[in-house]
Amino acid sequence: MLALIYKSAWDVALEERPVPEITRDNQVLVRIHATGVCGTDLGIVSGRYHASSSIILGHESAGVVVKTGSAVDTLMPGDRVVIDPTYYCGQCEMCRTGRQNHCLHKAVTETGVSADGTFTDYYITEDRFLYKLADHVSYEEATLTEPLSCILTGINQIKLLPNFRTIVLGAGPIGMLYSYALASKGVTGSIVDISKDRLNMASSITPERWQTHESFESAIESMAPGSHQVDLIVDTTGAVGTQVLSNLAHGGYLMLVGLRDGINSFNPKEIVDRSLKIIGSIDSLGTFSTAHYMIEKNIIPAKKIITHTYPLDQYIEAFSALGCDLNEKTLNPSSNAIKVILQSS
Ligand SMILES: [Zn+2]
Ligand SMILES: [Zn+2]
């Protein structure tokens, strides 16, 4: 099978790999149909986020069961499924204290980062990481389940109220999914993106009563004229960080979900004195099933968020649509796409 292999920064290629084989009774072989290109993939390819050399990239995926181990009794060949790629052992110190998204085995088990992923034709996982798809949910739409579940994990850490004045930085897939997940809890807000093309695209698919803005300043002026203080800022870009703390109302939240290195500073006294919360959140924790439900019930308009689809062998074009030029070795924050999907042949 052809697989998109990560070798080192800016060095990825399609290479032939053997189809993996079931080695344990609880395993399932899945024929991959679609995998979303994630900001993490762009981070890995551009050398900003560490991944193991020679692994197959890709982790947001759906496909069809082709073979099951002898102990699998809930799935059959032909079942259409979405894959929860966040492996956890269930027995380490992190898993036993409710932090399965930080399982201590992650360094060798993280799909598409430290273990083989799904930008290919076949993938092996355990039955407990598979969720059946309703007939009306396409493989492409189902790929949004994983990023959505990470977002629900983030939102679970906020004592959210529907009247929280909210700004989401970045109109990429994570920003759009955050706005929809927040909207499903009654929240309205603004989405900010510096890329005009992306913002144009985003403005036609924002949740009802949400706005789009070209700058944080115009968003804050519109959301909170006079006080310039809002209750929740979600930074999906990693580029803003703690510099927006002064725009948080007392007791407000800064949610950081963009994976980008940087040195940020803040005044601890301000955090204490104003009861501010700075929260980081990675991967999903007990939210995959809810995300699966929300995609199935169309609470998240997955079809609209997916703006581009390419066959796997056009991965260069797919990455390029997201501002990642593999030939020029440049990663540009502006992009004319929101969610990009690669389809296996
Ligand atoms: Zn992802
Ligand atoms: Zn564990």
Side-chain angles (χ1 to χ4, degrees):
M1 62 183 190
L2 270 182
L4 185 60
I5 309 291
Y6 168 78
K7 296 173 183 175
S8 59
W10 298 112
D11 188 6
V12 294
L14 275 181
E15 287 182 0
E16 197 62 36
R17 284 286 176 95
V19 174
E21 280 178 22
I22 288 179
T23 54
R24 285 197 299 276
D25 291 351
N26 61 349
Q27 288 182 328
V28 178
L29 179 66
V30 180
R31 172 82 166 85
I32 300 296
H33 279 270
T35 299
V37 181
C38 171
T40 305
D41 300 316
L42 306 183
I44 292 171
V45 164
S46 63
R48 292 178 180 187
Y49 193 67
H50 177 76
S52 308
S53 184
S54 92
I55 53 115
I56 302 171
L57 292 168
H59 60 271
E60 304 176 352
S61 51
V64 62
V65 171
V66 289
K67 203 174 177 185
T68 57
S70 58
V72 176
D73 53 13
T74 54
L75 292 162
M76 290 198 309
D79 282 342
R80 301 167 71 252
V81 289
V82 59
I83 301 165
D84 176 356
T86 306
Y87 175 90
Y88 61 91
C89 75
Q91 293 181 329
C92 73
E93 187 190 330
M94 287 292 116
C95 286
R96 286 183 167 187
T97 48
R99 290 171 280 182
Q100 291 88 338
N101 54 335
H102 292 284
C103 174
L104 293 177
H105 298 283
K106 206 169 178 179
V108 289
T109 59
E110 194 173 8
T111 306
V113 179
S114 59
D116 278 341
T118 58
F119 283 142
T120 185
D121 294 332
Y122 293 93
Y123 175 77
I124 287 204
T125 184
E126 294 175 17
D127 50 357
R128 64 187 170 124
F129 295 114
L130 295 173
Y131 294 73
K132 279 189 208 174
L133 293 177
D135 293 344
H136 70 274
V137 179
S138 70
Y139 295 117
E140 288 75 16
E141 292 168 88
T143 65
L144 289 179
T145 312
E146 193 273 339
L148 177 60
S149 96
C150 299
I151 283 154
L152 298 178
T153 294
I155 291 176
N156 277 351
Q157 299 178 65
I158 302 169
K159 225 170 135 188
L160 193 69
L161 295 171
N163 51 344
F164 265 17
R165 295 158 293 181
T166 298
I167 294 180
V168 174
L169 300 168
I174 298 298
M176 295 312 293
L177 288 173
Y178 250 103
S179 66
Y180 269 96
L182 288 165
S184 77
K185 294 183 178 283
V187 174
T188 49
S190 293
I191 303 168
V192 176
D193 203 294
I194 53 169
S195 163
K196 276 202 175 118
D197 289 340
R198 187 175 246 184
L199 202 62
N200 273 339
M201 208 173 272
S203 57
S204 64
I205 58 170
T206 53
E208 240 177 89
R209 297 181 292 128
W210 278 64
Q211 312 170 353
T212 51
H213 288 273
E214 276 177 40
S215 70
F216 180 73
E217 289 71 27
S218 82
I220 200 104
E221 178 60 31
S222 161
M223 295 293 300
S227 77
H228 288 184
Q229 305 241 301
V230 293
D231 306 291
L232 168 62
I233 299 173
V234 180
D235 180 15
T236 72
T237 70
V240 178
T242 54
Q243 49 183 294
V244 294
L245 282 176
S246 61
N247 293 109
L248 279 184
H250 303 320
Y253 291 79
L254 172 61
M255 184 89 212
L256 301 176
V257 291
L259 284 168
R260 192 187 279 200
D261 280 321
I263 305 294
N264 277 222
S265 60
F266 59 83
N267 177 355
K269 192 178 108 191
E270 187 190 5
I271 305 293
V272 177
D273 202 29
R274 306 212 299 113
S275 304
L276 301 180
K277 289 103 179 166
I278 303 174
I279 297 179
S281 190
I282 189 85
D283 293 337
S284 70
L285 181 62
T287 47
F288 204 90
S289 180
T290 306
H292 174 254
Y293 171 86
M294 289 172 81
I295 299 277
E296 184 174 309
K297 298 295 176 198
N298 210 25
I299 297 167
I300 305 293
K303 256 192 203 108
K304 290 188 193 167
I305 291 171
I306 298 166
T307 55
H308 295 66
T309 305
Y310 297 89
L312 180 59
D313 60 7
Q314 286 180 25
Y315 69 93
I316 293 176
E317 288 82 354
F319 277 67
S320 158
L322 290 164
C324 182
D325 189 324
L326 291 166
N327 297 320
E328 297 294 322
K329 303 184 179 174
T330 53
L331 182 58
N332 192 321
S334 76
S335 155
N336 59 11
I338 296 182
K339 192 65 188 179
V340 176
I341 307 284
L342 281 173
Q343 289 167 320
S344 299
S345 53

